[in-house]
Amino acid sequence: MTPPLAAKKAVPKLRYLSAWFCPYAHRATIALEHHAGRVDYEWVEALGWEQREDEKNVTGTGKEWWYHWKADELKRVNPSGLVPTLIPIDQCGKPNEERSVYESLITIDYVDAIANPDEEKLRLVPSDPYLSAKCRYWADKVNRECCSPYYGVLVRTDEQEQRENFDKLVTGLKAFSREMEKNGDGRGFLGGGRLSNADVALMPWAFRYYIFEHYRGYTIPVEDPELHAYKEWFHYVFSLDSVKRTLPDQEKYLEHIGKYADSSARSKVANAVRRGVAAHEIEDDKDTY
């Protein structure tokens, strides 16, 4: 007797509130494209920029600063009004807003969990408890040491503070690089060509470091022997088709990020850095705009 065929696993569907320029949202995009076919999503551009009239002569230019506008849906489902935000779609095709998921590092883990691939190598969060803990530790570490200083380089106006943030970022990259050397091949944080949440945490910023040379005259010293593994990692992860299709246009992004470089951006991240804390230390009540 022929055994019955296993029931085909339903593909989870999400409404994805995002912004093309946001590296935090880019983390979720990479996770979603990594699991293309295992998770379906509908992209909703839910955050952008508007320049208001300078009615109080704040800038003296006739135009106010650049402010984020936010879609009503985003403000409704995420108390902080930040992207990325994921809303599961039920079997009837209705978004379940009460089960929305947000915070970029959490969205990586969530997408990986609902994709639930059979093959271990496809999991961004390893099943092995030790490797899972290690990747979560390094995802948080690169967020603090390699991503947050990016905004310090751009938003702070004092040249010494800009340099200090850049040096901090490079130090963080060297730590990441040393850890990868333990795996030997530079093909992902865990080696062997496998992507993890630690990789995805860093990739959106690593892709964007090119803007430093244009706005601050700094370049990542990739020929430094301490960054050899990082250099190999960079070439590997950005050669992947699932990653390539997530990358924003470099010229378009370079123009966009000028709002941060000339201090005209008014976002929660920019405001947090402007008041002297790291980008990952934003507080809704202090950094609103």
Side-chain angles (χ1 to χ4, degrees):
M1 182 176 178
T2 304
L5 294 175
K8 187 176 180 180
K9 187 165 56 175
V11 176
K13 297 181 179 180
L14 300 169
R15 191 164 168 82
Y16 174 33
L17 308 189
S18 189
W20 71 267
F21 54 82
C22 178
Y24 292 101
H26 195 179
R27 286 170 169 166
T29 308
I30 293 171
L32 287 163
E33 285 299 316
H34 174 77
H35 286 303
R38 293 180 288 274
V39 178
D40 287 342
Y41 68 95
E42 174 189 0
W43 179 297
V44 179
E45 196 74 8
L47 184 146
W49 294 96
E50 61 182 4
Q51 191 175 33
R52 303 169 187 170
E53 293 297 328
D54 189 13
E55 296 177 353
K56 298 181 180 179
N57 198 34
V58 173
T59 66
T61 65
K63 288 287 186 180
E64 250 266 32
W65 306 121
W66 288 95
Y67 294 87
H68 272 159
W69 63 259
K70 299 181 179 185
D72 290 340
E73 183 180 16
L74 178 63
K75 292 185 286 186
R76 187 170 66 244
V77 301
N78 183 331
S80 295
L82 298 174
V83 294
T85 295
L86 301 172
I87 308 170
I89 298 175
D90 65 24
Q91 294 180 344
C92 298
K94 182 179 179 181
N96 188 343
E97 295 186 350
E98 293 182 356
R99 295 179 67 86
S100 59
V101 177
Y102 33 84
E103 296 298 328
S104 61
L105 293 178
I106 292 172
T107 63
I108 299 170
D109 293 9
Y110 174 75
V111 169
D112 196 56
I114 64 173
N116 193 25
D118 296 326
E119 188 178 347
E120 176 64 25
K121 187 177 179 180
L122 295 174
R123 294 180 181 271
L124 296 171
V125 182
S127 298
D128 178 270
Y130 167 72
L131 292 179
S132 174
K134 176 180 179 178
C135 287
R136 285 192 167 104
Y137 169 81
W138 278 93
D140 178 69
K141 185 175 175 66
V142 299
N143 184 57
R144 289 182 284 107
E145 298 180 6
C146 305
C147 304
S148 283
Y150 172 89
Y151 298 98
V153 177
L154 291 172
V155 174
R156 302 302 296 175
T157 56
D158 181 82
E159 291 185 8
Q160 182 176 343
E161 291 180 347
Q162 293 170 0
R163 186 74 213 191
E164 288 172 352
N165 277 280
F166 181 75
D167 290 344
K168 183 187 297 184
L169 186 156
V170 172
T171 298
L173 290 179
K174 288 180 177 180
F176 182 71
S177 192
R178 286 194 300 272
E179 187 64 25
M180 281 195 295
E181 285 177 358
K182 299 176 183 179
N183 300 318
D185 66 4
R187 298 175 66 242
F189 177 70
L190 293 174
R194 175 180 185 172
L195 282 187
S196 72
N197 50 345
D199 298 295
V200 180
L202 178 58
M203 286 159 62
W205 281 264
F207 174 74
R208 288 164 170 79
Y209 290 156
Y210 72 92
I211 61 94
F212 288 147
E213 184 173 11
H214 180 85
Y215 287 110
R216 296 293 181 256
Y218 303 153
T219 56
I220 303 296
V222 292
E223 300 305 325
D224 186 319
E226 291 186 79
L227 287 176
H228 175 73
Y230 168 77
K231 180 181 178 181
E232 294 295 314
W233 170 88
F234 185 96
H235 288 305
Y236 173 70
V237 298
F238 292 111
S239 72
L240 299 173
D241 288 339
S242 63
V243 175
K244 286 181 181 178
R245 59 180 179 257
T246 72
L247 303 178
D249 179 82
Q250 288 190 316
E251 287 300 319
K252 184 179 178 182
Y253 182 77
L254 185 68
E255 180 181 359
H256 152 77
I257 203 64
K259 301 177 184 65
Y260 286 79
D262 67 10
S263 294
S264 63
R266 292 299 182 267
S267 67
K268 286 186 177 180
V269 166
N271 289 355
V273 175
R274 196 172 287 111
R275 68 179 171 86
V277 301
H280 62 271
E281 296 175 311
I282 62 172
E283 296 182 36
D284 289 342
D285 59 336
K286 293 181 180 179
D287 301 314
T288 192
Y289 47 89

